[in-house]
């Protein structure tokens, strides 16, 4: 039997996959961040029609999702668009479920005020090698020392303990960093917007092409139904959000949803597709992805 465990995560994207099309079972992976648990609450709780499919659902950290997608563990999953670029040969982006927009970018934070990663040797923490947050740091701080990676929820505590100099913050921490006594170096999303004049694409739902159009169409319909149910009655998603959140304050959770769930979450549309092309072009131009990988197909 082929063993992909010995491969580096980047190389694992070529590992054999086993979509469960014959049984109608879909191995679905989503992140624990509030915008995902909000959007998928109806699916998780089976308050929407699964359309004859059976979903085996796992909720894990975004970098774990990225790594396990490379390993072929999921048929459908939320992934960073950085990772999606590296898997474009075998996955397709679904129109619904993405996180992108204006004012949604990761924040580059510092343990001390007035410092920058470009100043000299320093430890910068990023929330995973293939996250879009790490991609942005690589795009905008090319002269800085290579970052180290850890689970996103460890970044602010390690900055506070002065175990690192800088950290790229995502998720709920965007709203709580000031209360933690940390210092803003730069909003990486604002820089993206300034340089591209487009919303920042953070992550989306990808499906293995081997599922086939009929199954992918059903998966897309279930996800959109779940999302529209949550948008029509946000309070119905709150129990699922609370169960998986790092931050348990309901106001913070809903601020997160309001920031990351928008018209492009329902459907990427022409603006969302254009933003994905821009991300691919910049990544290729800076040598982060190869030419053959530099494209993201959105399932029609």
């Amino acid at each position: 039997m082929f063993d992909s465990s010995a491969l580096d995560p980047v190389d694992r994207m070529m590992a054999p996959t086993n979509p469960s099309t014959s049984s109608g079972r879909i191995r679905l992976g989503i992140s624990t961040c509030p915008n995902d648990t909000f959007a998928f609450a109806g699916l998780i709780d089976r308050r929407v029609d699964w359309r004859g499919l059976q979903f085996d659902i796992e909720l894990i950290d975004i970098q774990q999702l990225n790594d396990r997608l490379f390993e072929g563990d999921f048929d459908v999953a939320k992934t960073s668009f950085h990772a999606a670029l590296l898997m474009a040969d075998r996955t397709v982006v679904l129109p619904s479920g993405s996180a992108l927009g204006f004012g949604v970018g990761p924040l580059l934070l510092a343990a001390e005020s007035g410092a920058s990663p470009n100043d000299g040797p320093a430890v910068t923490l990023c929330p995973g090698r293939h996250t879009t947050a790490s991609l942005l740091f690589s795009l905008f701080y090319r002269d800085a020392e290579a970052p180290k990676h850890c689970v996103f929820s460890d970044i602010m505590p390690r900055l506070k303990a002065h175990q690192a100099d800088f950290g790229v913050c995502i998720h709920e921490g965007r709203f709580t960093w000031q209360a933690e006594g940390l210092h803003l170096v730069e909003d990486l999303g604002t820089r993206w917007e300034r340089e591209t004049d487009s919303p920042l694409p953070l992550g989306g739902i990808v499906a293995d092409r081997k599922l086939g159009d009929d199954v992918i169409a059903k998966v897309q319909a279930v996800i959109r139904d779940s999302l529209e149910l949550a948008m029509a009655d946000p309070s119905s998603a709150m129990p699922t959000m609370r169960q998986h959140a790092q931050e348990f304050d309901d106001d913070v959770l809903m601020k997160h949803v309001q920031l990351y769930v928008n018209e492009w979450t329902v459907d990427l549309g022409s603006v969302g597709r254009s933003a994905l092309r821009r991300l691919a072009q910049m990544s290729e131009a800076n040598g982060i992805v190869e030419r053959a990988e530099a494209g993201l197909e959105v399932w029609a």
Side-chain angles (χ1 to χ4, degrees):
M1 180 179 293
F2 182 90
D3 180 10
S4 66
S5 62
L7 297 178
D8 180 90
V10 175
D11 298 323
R12 291 176 193 164
M13 61 185 169
M14 300 306 298
T17 58
N18 183 33
S20 310
T21 53
S22 59
S23 64
R25 302 198 75 86
I26 302 296
R27 298 167 299 170
L28 172 64
I30 61 175
S31 82
T32 55
C33 65
N35 55 297
D36 282 346
T37 51
F38 174 84
F40 282 85
L43 190 160
I44 293 169
D45 302 336
R46 204 158 187 171
R47 290 181 289 113
V48 296
D49 184 357
W50 280 7
R51 299 174 184 260
L53 301 174
Q54 292 296 318
F55 289 94
D56 297 327
I57 306 165
E58 287 190 62
L59 290 94
I60 53 178
D61 172 72
I62 187 63
Q63 184 55 39
Q64 291 176 301
L65 284 170
N66 293 339
D67 287 345
R68 290 183 58 191
L69 266 170
F70 286 129
E71 293 168 359
D73 285 354
F74 296 112
D75 303 313
V76 178
K78 178 67 172 286
T79 191
S80 305
F81 280 126
H82 182 188
L85 282 169
L86 298 171
M87 293 184 283
D89 61 330
R90 66 176 178 88
T91 65
V92 62
V93 179
L94 298 188
S96 298
S98 289
L100 73 162
F102 293 100
V104 301
L107 304 180
L108 177 60
L109 303 178
E112 301 289 344
S113 64
S116 168
N118 288 332
D119 291 342
V123 175
T124 300
L125 301 177
C126 282
R129 179 181 173 189
H130 300 113
T131 60
T132 305
S134 297
L135 173 60
L136 291 176
F137 182 80
S138 297
L139 286 173
F140 299 145
Y141 287 85
R142 296 189 61 80
D143 295 331
E145 189 170 333
K148 300 182 183 300
H149 300 282
C150 66
V151 176
F152 78 92
S153 56
D154 289 343
I155 292 178
M156 290 204 302
R158 289 178 65 176
L159 282 178
K160 287 177 62 178
H162 293 272
Q163 296 172 356
D165 303 293
F166 304 97
V168 180
C169 175
I170 61 175
H171 299 335
E172 301 99 310
R174 182 179 176 86
F175 307 103
T176 60
W177 62 272
Q178 289 173 299
E180 301 292 339
L182 299 175
H183 306 276
L184 179 66
V185 177
E186 183 175 30
D187 185 323
L188 299 180
T190 298
R191 182 163 176 181
W192 163 273
E193 294 163 19
R194 185 173 64 248
E195 296 191 9
T196 67
D197 195 31
S198 70
L200 172 63
L202 293 169
I205 311 299
V206 298
D208 194 308
R209 294 174 186 271
K210 292 181 181 180
L211 289 174
D213 284 346
D214 289 345
V215 172
I216 292 175
K218 290 180 181 179
V219 172
Q220 159 63 21
V222 174
I223 291 172
R224 180 153 181 162
D225 287 348
S226 181
L227 177 59
E228 291 180 339
L229 178 64
M231 294 179 76
D233 182 13
S235 63
S236 68
M238 190 59 72
T240 302
M241 293 167 63
R242 291 191 194 108
Q243 182 180 351
H244 299 284
Q246 295 292 324
E247 169 63 58
F248 291 95
D249 183 276
D250 288 357
D251 290 338
V252 172
L253 294 181
M254 289 312 300
K255 284 180 181 178
H256 186 110
V257 170
Q258 291 161 7
L259 189 65
Y260 292 97
V261 177
N262 52 40
E263 61 182 294
W264 298 304
T265 310
V266 179
D267 191 293
L268 282 166
S270 60
V271 173
R273 287 166 169 80
S274 177
L276 293 185
R277 287 193 296 271
R278 191 75 177 95
L279 185 70
Q281 291 164 358
M282 290 181 67
S283 299
E284 179 187 348
N286 284 276
I288 295 172
V289 299
E290 299 293 337
R291 187 172 189 82
E293 301 164 336
L296 289 171
E297 180 184 351
V298 179
W299 187 81

